[in-house]
Amino acid sequence: MAMDRMDRYIARNVLAAIVVVQFVLLGLDITIAYIGDLGDTQGDYSALDVLLYLGMRLPWRFYQYAPVAVLIGALIGLGSMASSNELTVMRAAGRSLARIVWGVMKPVLLVVIVVLLVAEFVSPKTEQYAEAWRLEQRQGEGAMLTTRSGWQFEGDSVYRFGAIRADNVVLDLTRYRFDERRLIEATHANRAHWEEGAWQLEGVTMTRIFDNRTESAYQPSAAWETALTPTQLERLLRDIESQAPSELWAYANFLQSQNLQADQPLLYFWQKVLMPLTMGSLVLIAASFVFGPLRSVAAGTRVFYGVVTGLVFKYVQDLLAPASTIFGFSPVWAVLVPTLACAAVGIYFLRRNG
């Protein structure tokens, strides 16, 4: 029972530190973002609306800062216990270093579950709703869901999409048809709307290209025969980072079925799916700092090293992401390499000092 109480005590201290750090990070981020976004107020989009918009995006920001909060929270929680000699007493009572680290892992498992649920079910919907709500407040009803254009290959055609609105209306659509490598037709539509399971084009200009001439024709409306759905177009044009793991996996499979590269959606998919390993490796680093080279330094120094470690970890992942495309290795290694490196360093210092 004493050992169980120690586990609960460690978990309570570490979890409380993680929650406090997460609140601090979110508070600082929202404050900075609020000041920066005040310049975007226009029309019905007021300063209060800016605050509401940032509040809608809290789940996404929670997900973004969770790994850093776990790292710094574990450093602070364990560091405060080390400063008051509680860890020394636990070790003297026969508590092994591995058991103490496992006690730290238990609250992190709870954080991991919450983060995965937020990434799959909450943040994709709140991000989409927040962006649509913000644009409609600024531009009126039917505002563009995104202004990020995108290209898509399907069969003998290559499409360019200008934007998609919140009401599933695609703007500025261009289709290029090829016969092997020769361009034979270019079609531009002002918009396309989804009705009863099919796309309808409006303001269609079609140009057919022959060896010695071109022919153009205009139609006020025309049917668009395609396998692309509003959901797939939304995934193509929406910010890929904010999509759920299941959406990323489906989008990657769709790109592969079209013989296109799917490295980017797969990279973000593995980042989210392997989040438990990422957080576990950061906890090992935090524990190794407390029991190793940083056990006798001030709490502020530990936090500083924790922030530096978290930034280095993120930058390595960001560098490996394009490297996976250039050198042709699987995106999963862009996530696993820094994670395994952190775990190896943490285990090395723990074994050296345990």
Side-chain angles (χ1 to χ4, degrees), residues 7 12 41 48 68 136 138 180 186 192 223 244-245 283 290 301 324:
D7 273 346
R12 187 166 59 249
T41 55
L48 179 60
V68 178
E136 287 187 0
R138 297 180 64 191
E180 294 182 352
V283 168
V290 172
T301 305
S324 65

Side-chain angles (χ1 to χ4, degrees), residues 51-316:
L51 193 60
L52 291 174
Y53 167 69
L54 294 176
M56 295 176 195
R57 298 195 65 200
L58 271 177
W60 169 244
R61 296 175 185 271
F62 168 81
Y63 165 80
Q64 286 284 83
Y65 286 111
V68 178
V70 165
L71 174 62
I72 299 177
L75 276 171
I76 293 176
L78 282 176
S80 64
M81 296 171 66
S83 300
S84 59
N85 294 321
E86 291 173 310
L87 294 180
T88 303
V89 172
M90 291 181 184
R91 297 294 303 276
R95 194 73 160 189
S96 68
L97 184 56
R99 185 66 185 275
I100 293 175
V101 174
W102 174 239
V104 179
M105 289 289 187
K106 289 181 179 179
V108 174
L109 290 175
L110 175 62
V111 175
V112 165
I113 293 173
V114 173
V115 168
L116 290 178
L117 290 175
V118 168
E120 177 62 35
F121 300 107
V122 182
S123 64
K125 292 180 174 58
T126 55
E127 279 293 289
Q128 180 180 354
Y129 179 80
E131 190 63 26
W133 179 84
R134 177 175 178 266
L135 289 170
E136 287 187 0
Q137 291 295 113
R138 297 180 64 191
Q139 302 175 15
E141 187 176 355
M144 286 183 290
L145 181 61
T146 175
T147 56
R148 189 170 71 95
S149 61
W151 293 81
Q152 183 61 52
F153 171 83
E154 184 186 35
D156 62 352
S157 302
V158 176
Y159 293 98
R160 181 194 175 277
F161 305 100
I164 184 170
R165 296 195 326 200
D167 54 357
N168 289 333
V169 173
V170 179
L171 304 178
D172 189 18
L173 184 155
T174 306
R175 175 188 184 184
Y176 302 96
R177 284 188 59 208
F178 291 85
D179 181 9
E180 294 182 352
R181 293 174 179 257
R182 188 172 68 88
L183 179 64
I184 60 173
E185 183 181 281
T187 303
H188 178 268
N190 294 330
R191 65 178 62 199
H193 60 272
W194 181 260
E195 282 187 2
E196 300 179 355
W199 288 103
Q200 191 71 20
L201 301 177
E202 296 179 4
V204 185
T205 302
M206 179 185 296
T207 302
R208 293 179 178 174
I209 303 171
F210 301 93
D211 292 336
N212 56 358
R213 72 185 192 281
T214 61
E215 294 180 359
S216 296
Y218 175 80
Q219 292 179 282
S221 64
W224 176 22
E225 299 294 335
T226 178
L228 295 170
T229 64
T231 300
Q232 290 170 337
L233 288 181
E234 181 192 322
R235 290 172 183 165
L236 173 66
L237 299 177
R238 188 156 51 98
D239 185 8
I240 196 169
E241 283 188 84
S242 64
Q243 297 185 27
S246 59
E247 292 178 322
L248 292 169
W249 183 253
Y251 183 39
N253 286 334
F254 173 76
L255 291 178
Q256 289 172 341
S257 69
Q258 300 292 324
N259 296 318
L260 299 174
Q261 283 191 342
D263 292 344
Q264 191 177 27
L266 284 176
L267 175 67
Y268 289 114
F269 169 78
W270 288 117
Q271 282 182 349
K272 295 183 178 184
V273 169
L274 295 177
M275 181 70 75
L277 290 180
T278 299
M279 290 189 178
S281 67
L282 293 175
V283 168
L284 290 175
I285 284 287
S288 69
F289 282 176
V290 172
F291 288 103
L294 301 182
R295 57 185 165 186
S296 58
V297 302
T301 305
R302 292 196 192 98
V303 172
F304 171 76
Y305 279 103
V307 172
V308 171
T309 302
L311 289 175
V312 170
F313 180 87
K314 177 171 176 53
Y315 290 151
V316 170

